[in-house]
Amino acid sequence: MNNEDLHHKFLECSGVSTDTRKIEPNNMYFALKGDNFDGNAFAKQALEAGATYAVVDDASIVLDKERYILVDDVLQRLQELANHHRHSLNIPIIALTGSNGKTTTKELIHAVLSTTYTVGATKGNLNNHIGVPLTLLSFDSNLDYGIVEMGANHQKEIEFLCSIAVPNFGVITNFGKAHMEGFGGIEGIIKGKSELYDYLKSHNGLAFINSEDPKQMEQLGSYGNRYTFGPKGADTQVAFSHANPFVTGTYNQTEFSSQLIGGYNFTNIAIAISIGEYFDVPESSIIKGIESYTPTNNRSQIMDKGSNHIILDAYNANPTSMKAALHNLFQLEASHKVVFLGDMFELGDYAKEEHQAIVNLLESEFDGTIFLAGENFYDTERQGNTKAFKTFEDLKNEINDIEFENATILIKGSRGMALERVLDFI
Ligand SMILES: CC(=O)N[C@H]1[C@@H](OP(=O)(O)OP(=O)(O)OC[C@H]2O[C@@H](n3ccc(=O)[nH]c3=O)[C@H](O)[C@@H]2O)O[C@H](CO)[C@@H](O)[C@@H]1O[C@H](C)C(=O)N[C@@H](C)C(=O)N[C@H](CCC(=O)N[C@@H](CCC[C@@H](N)C(=O)O)C(=O)O)C(=O)O
Ligand SMILES: Nc1ncnc2c1ncn2[C@@H]1O[C@H](COP(=O)(O)OP(=O)(O)OP(=O)(O)O)[C@@H](O)[C@H]1O
Ligand SMILES: C[C@@H](N)C(=O)N[C@H](C)C(=O)O
């Protein structure tokens, strides 16, 4: 079956599913192969559960030619179908990538544009070679705009995702030390993320860009199709005020607040304001959109537990976001500060020096209480009262008996550390 015919069948369906555990009536099931399962084994179950078609690449499981669609490679056909569908949608697509803040920025852009338009966006962070096609296939032509988040941990991934999503607009949140292992250090990260700029340049797309970020300005070079944001001299005039604890700033002459903590979230907010302005969202609606957004899922969340104020930032961590979270904690007005930090993953050969750099930063600039967990932090050289534990279990045994009172507590680590578990013990 060619892509056009597959697309016709897709349009008869209520959407795409790759997972029988979440199937909905009249879905088109795509039988992907993963680390744990071969989706072909679930095709029959998908049809019994209400799917209309099952796209499979194992001829031996095909029971009829009406509902089973046999293809050479299911993943490739999912990606091709998404690209075909994208071309059939006559809507502008805004792509965003970056090392940190993609999901938050995507949600902020969505909050701003949705005040005025009908907007589709990536759900959660379905942002990879499977997630981007699923995102595109969730869009329909009733939308005014589509926002597509793109994640990557190695070169050429953003280029590939752009070839599927065909964005007209793009923004890179920042270049930071995330996924250093796969990208091969910071230069590799800049190159890999800049594949979005490369795509925009070769397709006359427009880049939204922070005029105060010299590395991004250098990567964009002389390319003229841009819309800048910054405190002065930019297309969008947006300036940081403070982050104590929530980020506030001014847009044109108007002050705005947010429900986001951490100065690092200011650029995420500025991107959303700039995109709103470019697409003629009224100023008051832009501010309403920004002020309405509340983070969830362990991303820079703030909460009270007993007499303690907790900054729960345990969704992920890398050297850039870890330092940003610490500097934010350092500048907060609070009397007793505590950090629970977990290992940062996917740093490869950089792991030792980057974990040591965090310990050095804490020991030179922080006078609060320090708890570190994970093998990398355990292997660092430490002085004084810095406590490090090889495993979460070891940390748990230590903190079980401690009473925390009137403390401001930062909890941050990579996803694999699941450091939100600390909440059960404080
Ligand atoms: C393939 C797939 O979608 N897997 C998801 C599945 O995993 P599970 O272990 O259950 O099964 P398999 O993958 O082995 O299964 C193969 C298929 O069989 C289906 N199936 C299985 C059992 C069953 O009873 N019925 C079935 O139909 C199954 O659904 C598969 O289709 O479920 C997990 C739990 O929900 C998912 O976590 C898993 O998802 C994988 C990881 C995935 O890639 N999902 C994408 C849709 C996605 O976008 N996920 C994002 C994570 C994005 C991310 O990490 N981004 C990074 C950068 C990534 C770079 C890239 N190179 C990469 O490595 O991906 C970033 O830093 O931003 C998300 O879930 O949030
Ligand atoms: N601009 C930024 N600079 C540094 N750190 C940031 C920035 N924005 C967000 N962070 C940090 O990154 C964490 C995750 O935010 P978010 O999920 O938005 O990022 P992401 O890039 O989408 O991550 P992932 O790709 O893993 O989903 C936040 O909780 C915060 O600690
Ligand atoms: C969760 C995943 N997208 C990610 O950010 N991974 C890094 C390595 C982390 O968990 O910190």
Side-chain angles (χ1 to χ4, degrees), residues 125 127 179 315-318 343-346 413-417:
N125 69 325
N127 66 17
H179 303 302
Y315 170 70
N316 67 5
N318 53 61
D343 270 4
M344 302 172 288
F345 289 5
E346 292 189 36
S414 266
R415 187 80 304 270
M417 293 300 300

Side-chain angles (χ1 to χ4, degrees), residues 18-22 29 32-37 39 42 102 125-131 134 151-154 157 179:
T18 58
D19 194 338
T20 50
R21 294 161 294 193
K22 299 177 194 158
Y29 175 73
L32 297 174
K33 294 189 185 73
D35 291 341
N36 302 304
F37 302 102
F42 300 99
K102 293 181 292 297
N125 69 325
L126 298 184
N127 66 17
N128 67 8
H129 60 295
I130 302 168
L134 294 180
N153 56 13
H154 59 260
E157 233 176 334
H179 303 302

Side-chain angles (χ1 to χ4, degrees), residues 210-230:
N210 181 356
S211 60
E212 299 282 297
D213 185 330
K215 284 195 182 129
Q216 292 214 42
M217 292 296 272
E218 186 186 329
Q219 288 301 307
L220 197 60
S222 60
Y223 184 61
N225 200 6
R226 66 178 70 188
Y227 198 74
T228 59
F229 60 88

Side-chain angles (χ1 to χ4, degrees), residues 50-69:
T52 302
Y53 299 106
V55 180
V56 299
D57 51 18
D58 177 353
S60 73
I61 56 104
V62 173
L63 297 177
D64 69 66
K65 287 192 174 161
E66 283 302 302
R67 299 179 72 202
Y68 287 82
I69 299 173

Side-chain angles (χ1 to χ4, degrees), residues 144-404:
D144 296 310
Y145 297 99
I147 308 167
V148 179
E149 177 181 330
M150 297 180 176
N153 56 13
H154 59 260
Q155 306 293 340
K156 298 289 173 195
E157 233 176 334
I158 297 298
E159 178 184 290
F160 179 62
L161 297 178
C162 285
S163 76
I164 298 174
V166 191
N168 315 84
F169 300 90
V171 62
I172 298 177
T173 56
N174 53 27
F175 300 131
K177 292 180 173 178
H179 303 302
M180 301 251 275
E181 186 172 24
F183 277 115
I186 189 70
E187 292 310 317
I189 290 164
I190 293 173
K191 187 164 176 281
K193 296 290 177 188
S194 297
E195 288 166 18
L196 177 55
Y197 288 155
D198 298 339
Y199 182 90
L200 294 172
K201 286 177 189 174
S202 58
H203 292 79
N204 196 30
L206 183 138
F208 294 96
I209 186 162
N210 181 356
S211 60
E212 299 282 297
D213 185 330
K215 284 195 182 129
Q216 292 214 42
M217 292 296 272
E218 186 186 329
Q219 288 301 307
L220 197 60
S222 60
Y223 184 61
N225 200 6
R226 66 178 70 188
Y227 198 74
T228 59
F229 60 88
K232 47 182 186 280
D235 296 313
T236 302
Q237 306 281 329
V238 57
F240 176 74
S241 298
H242 64 79
N244 204 359
F246 296 108
V247 178
T248 64
T250 51
Y251 166 41
N252 294 331
Q253 304 307 318
T254 312
E255 288 187 10
F256 66 84
S257 56
S258 74
Q259 299 185 57
L260 289 163
I261 57 140
Y264 50 84
N265 267 310
F266 172 73
T267 45
N268 302 341
I269 292 171
I271 289 170
I273 290 177
S274 190
I275 291 178
E277 179 180 274
Y278 181 85
F279 290 116
D280 295 326
V281 177
E283 186 177 301
S284 59
S285 302
I286 290 177
I287 290 173
K288 199 167 137 203
I290 296 296
E291 294 189 339
S292 70
Y293 175 65
T294 313
T296 54
N297 298 334
N298 304 336
R299 291 174 171 96
S300 306
Q301 273 182 277
I302 194 154
M303 57 177 70
D304 286 343
K305 196 166 183 222
S307 62
N308 299 309
H309 302 298
I310 296 170
I311 300 168
L312 182 61
D313 203 10
Y315 170 70
N316 67 5
N318 53 61
T320 301
S321 69
M322 192 68 107
K323 281 178 204 145
L326 287 175
H327 283 297
N328 180 59
L329 181 71
F330 298 167
Q331 61 87 44
L332 282 181
E333 288 163 18
S335 51
H336 177 207
K337 297 178 187 176
V338 179
V339 293
F340 287 95
L341 305 186
D343 270 4
M344 302 172 288
F345 289 5
E346 292 189 36
L347 297 180
D349 293 343
Y350 300 90
K352 194 174 172 57
E353 65 179 274
E354 295 294 350
H355 284 83
Q356 189 63 54
I358 297 296
V359 170
N360 296 348
L361 173 69
L362 283 166
E363 291 184 343
S364 61
E365 291 189 35
F366 185 60
D367 59 2
T369 310
I370 305 169
F371 294 98
L372 307 173
E375 293 187 2
N376 285 296
F377 273 130
Y378 189 71
D379 282 346
T380 55
E381 287 172 22
R382 298 174 301 279
Q383 317 162 347
N385 294 327
T386 306
K387 293 191 173 180
F389 303 88
K390 199 166 189 175
T391 64
F392 180 79
E393 291 304 307
D394 295 341
L395 169 70
K396 187 178 96 180
N397 292 336
E398 172 79 11
I399 58 176
N400 235 343
D401 299 329
I402 303 177
E403 291 277 316
F404 294 92

Side-chain angles (χ1 to χ4, degrees), residues 80-109:
E80 287 175 12
L81 175 67
N83 177 253
H84 190 95
H85 184 58
R86 189 276 171 265
H87 283 292
S88 77
L89 296 169
N90 195 18
I91 61 167
I93 297 275
I94 304 161
L96 82 156
T97 188
S99 301
N100 295 295
K102 293 181 292 297
T103 302
T104 306
T105 307
K106 178 256 306 177
E107 294 293 343
L108 286 163
I109 300 168

